[in-house]
Amino acid sequence: MTTAPTDTTDSAAFEASLLQFVGLEIGVVAVAPDEVNVPMVRHWCEAMGDTNPVYLDASAAAASVHGGLVAPPTMLQAWVMRPFGQGRDESESNPYSQLTKAVESHGFTSVVATNCEQTYDRYLRPGDHLTMRTVIDSVSGEKTTGLGAGHFITTRQDYYDATGERVGSMLFRILKFRPAPKPAPAAPKPLRPRPSLTFDHLFWFEGLKQGKLLIQRCAECGVLRHPAAPMCRECRSIVWDTIEAGGGGRIHSFVVVHYPQIPSIEYPNQVVLVDLDEGVRVVANTVDTNADQLVIGAAVQLEVRMCDDDLSLPFFKVVQS
Amino acid sequence: MNSLHDTDVNVGDQLAPLVLPLTRSLIVATALASRDYQDVHHDPTLAQQKGSQDIFMNILTTNGLIGRYITDWAGPDSIIKNVSIRLGVPNYAGDTMTITGTVTSKQDGQIVVGVVGANSMGNHVTGTVTLVLGATGQGGTK
């Protein structure tokens, strides 16, 4: 599966340009620093936990199908590994570097090895001296993978003994890919809308911050009022104080809001109009209440909750339907 | 160490699993024994800077362990012809890899064993090994 290129002509030209690398030999012929030897085989077998006697036990090896000591076949690549401290040949004349740079210039900057296929023409024996030639075997078109879009690059390493006979071969495939963008971290949940505070109802929000639902009371005639207002509806007095609501009440009415949705509020958004036991009505959200518990007349209990550092609000929970 | 012969093996045979604790020592010792000096196979700090959670096993070792797994089963008279692997999740130090194998084909004197090496994150390696088993009563010949 290929992704839709933004510019078909450019993309096709790019992919065609990659194909010119196929079949090119990479760098110089690598010469193994050491002949195949028993000490290195011993280190390998010790580390791998390999107890096959044909690698280290000369008499058992002689009696085996191999007729003498051989090296573990999977050790093939180890004989020509780069010395410690020596980096990859990244010179500009190296076709593999050119290919890598070409692919990276199109954003395929990450790399992962995907496949390794070794074929052994014969087992190696102590004294064999290897050389290795590397050829760019294939370059895929753009592929979509779990890691992101990318190109598979396969190299072939052929291993030869001192007589020039091929003793083994390895296909090694990597994926050069454009890392899939990481999902943006989830934005913090926005805060509930702020009340526009005025002197007339500041006391109400301040009371909630202390965990109290306050009800305004006329200091002259004693009538309770909510929402807060500067003057008594009954006697026109502007002198007032407050009492704290006991927390009991009943559902006078309710509505479940589905739309429009405000990011800071949980949906379905259950809104109740509660007749407090004191005789005033309050609009609030519910807590710990299922939709089927929302019944007109149901008894509710107040819970003041802190929504964030600057806002606490009254919520009601149905305690009896 | 006895060797298996063609007549001992049938398609569908399962090899005994090999459970390998992936100690830091194993990761480092095998990397060095295979002359692989890339830092991600021995230096945890640099491995983490390059986005890995820890040092992890190199590919030569994955090949080496699969070769060992096959000859542990098939014996010294077996000859491995091909190891083809597909690489999956890394073998990080501290994890455990369990290698399992099943004989998937037996044809023209060649046996193919399907192998899977799995760790706590999933399959580290899946692949096939093609080998020739020792000929009955003809040990010492090729």
Side-chain angles (χ1 to χ4, degrees):
Chain A
M1 183 174 155
T2 52
T3 54
T6 46
D7 183 322
T8 311
T9 314
D10 273 7
S11 177
F14 170 60
E15 299 214 345
S17 76
L18 297 181
L19 293 179
Q20 72 185 357
F21 292 99
V22 172
L24 295 185
E25 189 159 339
I26 299 175
V28 295
V29 174
V31 179
D34 291 295
E35 294 176 349
V36 173
N37 63 86
V38 174
M40 280 177 63
V41 170
R42 186 181 312 286
H43 292 161
W44 173 281
C45 289
E46 281 179 5
M48 300 293 163
D50 197 330
T51 56
N52 189 343
V54 300
Y55 305 138
L56 293 169
D57 179 336
S59 58
S64 78
V65 68
H66 300 289
L69 289 175
V70 289
T74 55
M75 202 175 164
L76 180 65
Q77 198 186 351
W79 300 111
V80 290
M81 288 292 279
R82 284 196 308 275
F84 176 62
Q86 181 177 314
R88 228 176 275 278
D89 170 18
E90 290 177 353
S91 60
E92 286 188 8
S93 59
N94 182 336
Y96 193 73
S97 304
Q98 294 168 5
L99 171 58
T100 305
K101 283 180 187 132
V103 169
E104 288 177 351
S105 71
H106 278 67
F108 306 104
T109 52
S110 295
V111 63
V112 63
T114 63
N115 297 78
C116 178
E117 302 177 13
Q118 295 186 343
T119 300
Y120 315 108
D121 298 316
R122 70 167 174 85
Y123 274 39
L124 303 179
R125 295 173 185 276
D128 272 326
H129 196 195
L130 297 193
T131 53
M132 180 193 75
R133 308 177 86 100
T134 303
V135 170
I136 297 171
D137 186 74
S138 66
V139 183
S140 80
E142 186 174 325
K143 303 287 182 187
T144 302
T145 76
L147 293 168
H151 293 270
F152 288 97
I153 298 174
T154 307
T155 51
R156 193 182 76 242
Q157 276 90 30
D158 289 315
Y159 297 81
Y160 301 91
D161 67 13
T163 70
E165 180 203 0
R166 200 188 78 163
V167 295
S169 182
M170 177 170 83
L171 284 173
F172 194 78
R173 186 168 303 129
I174 62 167
L175 173 67
K176 288 288 285 180
F177 65 100
R178 185 187 290 133
K182 289 181 180 166
K189 191 173 161 67
L191 301 179
R192 274 188 174 246
R194 305 289 92 180
S196 60
L197 295 174
T198 69
F199 179 74
D200 289 335
H201 58 224
L202 186 60
F203 76 94
W204 194 76
F205 289 99
E206 289 300 319
L208 288 165
K209 281 187 189 173
Q210 293 161 35
K212 299 172 184 174
L213 175 57
L214 299 178
I215 305 170
Q216 202 176 21
R217 179 174 63 182
C218 175
E220 299 286 338
C221 69
V223 168
L224 300 175
R225 59 181 191 259
H226 181 85
M231 180 182 283
C232 175
R233 241 179 251 110
E234 301 296 323
C235 72
R236 306 290 189 261
S237 169
I238 56 169
V239 186
W240 56 270
D241 60 7
T242 60
I243 62 166
E244 183 181 346
R250 289 189 179 274
I251 295 179
H252 179 83
S253 180
F254 65 89
V255 65
V256 180
V257 181
H258 295 276
Y259 185 86
Q261 295 203 346
I262 298 164
S264 57
I265 291 174
E266 303 288 336
Y267 287 83
N269 178 18
Q270 300 180 159
V271 182
V272 285
L273 184 57
V274 171
D275 285 326
L276 294 182
D277 292 343
E278 289 79 6
V280 295
R281 273 181 199 147
V282 178
V283 178
N285 281 129
T286 60
V287 285
D288 301 333
T289 298
N290 299 325
D292 57 10
Q293 292 177 287
L294 292 177
V295 177
I296 288 172
V300 293
Q301 178 61 43
L302 170 73
E303 274 190 34
V304 177
R305 289 197 173 181
M306 196 166 91
C307 302
D308 54 67
D309 287 346
D310 289 319
L311 182 68
S312 293
L313 290 175
F315 291 84
F316 288 91
K317 174 181 176 175
V318 171
V319 291
Q320 172 207 323
S321 325
Chain B
M1 207 171 174
N2 291 324
S3 290
L4 292 177
H5 304 295
D6 256 3
T7 49
D8 302 327
V9 174
N10 294 300
V11 172
D13 285 358
Q14 296 198 339
L15 284 63
L18 173 64
V19 180
L20 275 175
L22 304 174
T23 62
R24 197 170 287 279
S25 301
L26 179 77
I27 304 291
V28 175
T30 51
L32 298 187
S34 54
R35 290 180 51 77
D36 189 337
Y37 302 110
Q38 291 196 63
D39 50 30
V40 290
H41 305 310
H42 63 259
D43 189 324
T45 306
L46 292 178
Q48 282 165 10
Q49 280 174 12
K50 292 178 178 178
S52 297
Q53 66 183 55
D54 204 331
I55 60 167
F56 56 91
M57 182 175 283
N58 65 331
I59 299 168
L60 284 84
T61 298
T62 301
N63 275 323
L65 291 172
I66 284 177
R68 167 197 160 183
Y69 179 65
I70 292 298
T71 55
D72 278 357
W73 167 74
D77 282 330
S78 58
I79 300 172
I80 295 177
K81 296 292 187 183
N82 178 278
V83 175
S84 292
I85 60 171
R86 182 187 157 94
L87 297 156
V89 296
N91 260 346
Y92 286 123
D95 209 334
T96 298
M97 175 169 71
T98 301
I99 307 179
T100 52
T102 307
V103 177
T104 57
S105 135
K106 178 181 172 183
Q107 203 172 354
D108 304 329
Q110 292 204 330
I111 304 289
V112 178
V113 180
V115 290
V116 177
N119 62 32
S120 67
M121 299 189 298
N123 288 341
H124 163 66
V125 57
T126 53
T128 58
V129 179
T130 306
L131 69 157
V132 175
L133 294 176
T136 310
Q138 292 189 11
T141 62
K142 200 161 177 182

